[in-house]
Amino acid sequence: MTAFPRTRNAVLVGAVCTGLAAVLAGCGSGEDPDAGTNGVGKLSASKIESKARKAVDGAEAVRLAGSLVTKGRTYRLDMRLKKDGGIGEVSTKGRRFELLRVGDELYLKADTAFWTGQQGGSTPSDSAAASKLDDKYVKVPSGDPAYKQLSGFTEMDLMLDGLLGLHGKRVAGDRGSVAGVRTVRVTAGDGAGGAFDVSLEGTPYPLRLQRAGGAGVVQLSDWNQDFGLKAPDKEHIVDYGRQISTN
């Protein structure tokens, strides 16, 4: 008389187990953290880094947004870059300016406050001269000492090479997400040597970079998404007439 309820209970338990199988990957087993990923999370730190660098080398465009600290100064940037130029915004010490590079031609655009500082003061003549440059593009001569520094923000390969540098023994394993995309982190020197988070979805691009020594954090997105680059119309270009200071 007791066999029937026992059998019925066994059937119910079996049904419950079967229904949960899709979620739990079978009764008594855990979910595979790499299910549905590109598989790089299973690799060693050095191999993840190699995969990420190969993906970067094959990329044609990227967007960089975040902060960089160099020589004691913090730069905040939001730049879209590709092989033949870039466009975006940089700010430091309360001074904001836009950069546009098309091939070797570099242009800078800023507001009156920026150019007043370039003039060296706030006299009426300084303000008048600065106001003529407000929201205009100034072509930076290749011989200007500021050209190399400013153009560096627009050079895709240069920026990525500098950002991807890690120092110390690499360790991988921490899982997370960047902008909703699952990632695996590679750290160096117990974190002091920098770190980057690599996408576990699709191509294993680095999606966030933490520079060694706390020298900034940059998020990378829009990989391989092309964008237009065009030199400004002549009527929007003015001549500054002197060297541009980046101090």
Side-chain angles (χ1 to χ4, degrees), residues 2 8 14 32 37 43 67-68 79 81 94 96 136 175 190 222 247:
T2 58
R8 183 175 62 184
D32 181 1
T37 72
L43 304 178
S67 61
L68 300 176
M79 299 293 302
L81 310 175
R96 184 191 69 83
K136 297 286 188 179
R175 307 301 178 92
D190 293 326
D222 296 349
N247 296 325

Side-chain angles (χ1 to χ4, degrees), residues 90-110:
V90 179
S91 62
T92 181
K93 290 187 175 181
R95 301 166 67 189
R96 184 191 69 83
F97 51 89
E98 296 178 32
L99 292 172
L100 167 65
R101 182 174 66 83
V102 183
D104 294 329
E105 304 296 324
L106 178 66
Y107 303 90
L108 184 151
K109 183 167 74 169

Side-chain angles (χ1 to χ4, degrees), residues 2-242:
T2 58
F4 175 72
R6 288 178 181 173
T7 302
R8 183 175 62 184
N9 288 342
V11 172
L12 289 174
V13 170
V16 171
C17 182
T18 300
L20 292 176
V23 177
L24 301 179
C27 289
S29 65
E31 183 180 357
D32 181 1
D34 292 300
T37 72
N38 55 24
V40 298
K42 298 179 180 180
L43 304 178
S44 66
S46 61
K47 288 185 178 180
I48 294 173
E49 182 178 10
S50 177
K51 290 275 189 181
R53 286 186 172 274
K54 183 177 180 180
V56 168
D57 289 343
E60 296 295 328
V62 67
R63 180 177 182 178
L64 306 180
S67 61
L68 300 176
V69 181
T70 178
K71 296 181 180 180
R73 173 177 289 189
T74 299
Y75 294 89
R76 302 192 182 279
L77 66 154
D78 187 352
M79 299 293 302
R80 297 195 67 180
L81 310 175
K82 57 183 180 179
K83 300 296 184 179
D84 60 346
I87 186 170
E89 180 179 299
V90 179
S91 62
T92 181
K93 290 187 175 181
R95 301 166 67 189
R96 184 191 69 83
F97 51 89
E98 296 178 32
L99 292 172
L100 167 65
R101 182 174 66 83
V102 183
D104 294 329
E105 304 296 324
L106 178 66
Y107 303 90
L108 184 151
K109 183 167 74 169
D111 60 15
T112 300
F114 176 91
W115 292 115
T116 298
Q118 289 287 315
Q119 295 286 341
S122 56
T123 65
S125 60
D126 290 335
S127 298
S131 66
K132 295 179 180 179
L133 301 174
D134 181 56
D135 206 34
K136 297 286 188 179
Y137 284 98
V138 171
K139 185 176 180 180
V140 183
S142 59
D144 191 312
Y147 180 92
K148 183 176 181 180
Q149 180 179 352
L150 293 174
S151 65
F153 288 114
T154 70
E155 295 181 18
M156 179 176 170
D157 291 341
L158 180 65
M159 289 290 288
L160 291 174
D161 285 346
L163 291 170
L164 287 169
L166 298 180
H167 307 282
K169 182 179 179 180
R170 274 70 157 166
V171 178
D174 289 347
R175 307 301 178 92
S177 66
V178 176
V181 178
R182 288 179 293 173
T183 58
V184 60
R185 173 166 289 191
V186 174
T187 60
D190 293 326
F196 54 75
D197 300 289
V198 178
S199 175
L200 287 172
E201 303 176 20
T203 305
Y205 291 118
L207 301 183
R208 180 168 52 207
L209 303 171
Q210 180 178 313
R211 300 183 73 204
V217 177
V218 177
Q219 190 161 315
L220 302 92
S221 61
D222 296 349
W223 285 101
N224 271 339
Q225 293 187 22
D226 196 16
F227 58 93
L229 276 179
K230 180 183 177 183
D233 295 333
K234 290 184 178 180
E235 58 266 28
H236 294 140
I237 301 174
V238 294
D239 180 17
Y240 179 58
R242 66 181 73 180

